[in-house]
């Protein structure tokens, strides 16, 4: 019956203009929702940041993650971090600034920003299912030195719903990398956050300016509406 077939197209009410997406060619990309960025004692706090600024993104991401799971959308999580021997951590990154703890130093959630440590893991509220893809990345962008491009090609993905932290750092870097590779990126405004609210705002403006120079911006309600999932 036609009436029981799932719609494959959806229109998201986005800025700078609505965008139509083919759902089977769309993935949810959740950037770095790790304890190291979200919780006290992790990498983000060692840099001098107020980590409580990021908590607001969790509920919107959780709602869209649930919808993605319900509809069978491909879900990809990323984690920024380094190998225990730091062989993938450029000295220019490790030695930078004057953090309270450096990458690789022992902290309250294990070694700072090191794969396998408690702080490197994704927060419990958004924990990946075994069936979901987790990309470990050494840089800010999710394409640099990772298998992400191969994964997207394998699954026939053309569009990315992007959320996570932080808006102007890993989300923006990844969106710029994806845009140059031909992906349509829709960034979830309330599903991203920054330690600096003004950078969050400008980070989103930079994406959608100039006719969507890097992509589109929509809130989680608009994404859920397009996925035909109730927000209540
Ligand atoms: N410091 C900061 O704002 N972000 C990062 O270092 N990484 C990510 O954005 N994930």
């Amino acid at each position: 019956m036609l009436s029981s077939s799932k719609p494959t197209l959806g229109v998201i009410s986005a800025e700078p203009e609505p965008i139509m997406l083919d759902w089977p060619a769309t993935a949810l990309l959740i950037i770095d929702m790790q304890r190291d960025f979200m919780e006290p004692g992790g990498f983000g706090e060692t840099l001098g940041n107020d980590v409580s600024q990021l908590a607001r993104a969790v509920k919107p991401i959780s709602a869209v993650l649930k919808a993605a799971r319900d509809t069978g959308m491909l879900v990809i999580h990323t984690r920024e971090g380094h190998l225990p021997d730091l062989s993938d951590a450029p000295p220019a990154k490790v030695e930078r600034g004057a953090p309270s703890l450096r990458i690789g130093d022992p902290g309250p959630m294990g070694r700072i920003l090191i794969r396998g440590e408690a702080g490197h893991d994704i927060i419990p509220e958004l924990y990946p299912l075994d069936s979901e893809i987790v990309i470990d990345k050494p840089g800010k962008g999710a394409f640099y030195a990772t298998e992400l491009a191969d994964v997207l090609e394998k699954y026939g993905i053309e569009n990315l719903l992007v959320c996570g932290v932080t808006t102007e750092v890993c989300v923006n870097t990844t969106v710029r990398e994806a845009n140059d590779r031909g992906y349509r990126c829709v960034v979830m405004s309330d599903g991203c956050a920054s330690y600096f609210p003004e950078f969050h705002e400008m980070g989103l403006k930079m994406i959608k300016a100039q006719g969507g120079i890097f992509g589109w911006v929509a809130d989680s309600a608009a994404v859920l509406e397009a996925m035909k999932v109730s927000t209540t």
Side-chain angles (χ1 to χ4, degrees):
M1 293 283 290
L2 273 178
S3 58
S4 67
S5 63
K6 282 204 305 193
T8 65
L9 296 176
V11 179
I12 300 180
S13 177
E15 291 182 302
E17 61 190 6
I19 176 169
M20 181 179 289
L21 298 180
D22 181 24
W23 296 125
T26 302
L28 176 62
L29 182 61
I30 305 176
I31 303 291
D32 299 359
M33 292 299 288
Q34 296 162 256
R35 298 181 65 194
D36 253 323
F37 297 105
M38 305 295 296
E39 295 184 18
F43 178 64
E45 194 179 71
T46 70
L47 298 175
N49 296 310
D50 171 11
V51 295
S52 70
Q53 290 289 342
L54 305 190
R56 66 192 70 176
V58 175
K59 268 181 88 170
I61 296 175
S62 183
V64 174
L65 177 58
K66 181 182 184 310
R69 287 171 174 167
D70 288 348
T71 58
M73 181 181 288
L74 185 72
V75 176
I76 303 171
H77 306 255
T78 71
R79 299 185 296 204
E80 180 180 347
H82 297 283
L83 297 169
D85 66 2
L86 296 183
S87 58
D88 62 350
K93 180 178 182 182
V94 178
E95 294 164 2
R96 189 165 314 181
S100 58
L101 294 171
R102 290 196 187 276
I103 295 168
D105 285 349
M109 294 190 286
R111 294 177 68 202
I112 299 292
L113 214 60
I114 297 296
R115 295 184 192 174
E117 302 286 348
H120 178 263
D121 216 347
I122 291 172
I123 59 170
E125 299 95 313
L126 303 174
Y127 210 77
L129 301 178
D130 287 344
S131 58
E132 293 169 353
I133 294 164
V134 178
I135 301 280
D136 280 315
K137 62 188 187 63
K140 304 305 181 193
F143 287 84
Y144 170 68
T146 74
E147 67 278 28
L148 180 57
D150 292 338
V151 168
L152 298 179
E153 192 178 341
K154 175 180 162 192
Y155 286 93
I157 298 301
E158 298 170 3
N159 317 303
L160 297 169
L161 298 178
V162 188
C163 54
V165 296
T166 60
T167 314
E168 81 281 15
V169 182
C170 290
V171 172
N172 247 274
T173 305
T174 298
V175 166
R176 290 167 190 227
E177 288 181 324
N179 181 59
D180 277 351
R181 287 164 173 79
Y183 296 98
R184 297 177 196 90
C185 294
V186 181
V187 179
M188 257 170 54
S189 53
D190 53 346
C192 298
S194 169
Y195 301 117
F196 307 90
E198 68 272 30
F199 291 173
H200 171 76
E201 193 189 327
M202 296 311 285
L204 296 176
K205 278 189 177 169
M206 286 180 198
I207 288 164
K208 69 187 179 188
Q210 304 184 62
I213 196 79
F214 296 122
W216 290 255
V217 175
D219 64 16
S220 57
V223 171
L224 290 167
E225 173 62 25
M227 293 171 81
K228 294 281 182 270
V229 174
S230 168
T231 55
T232 53

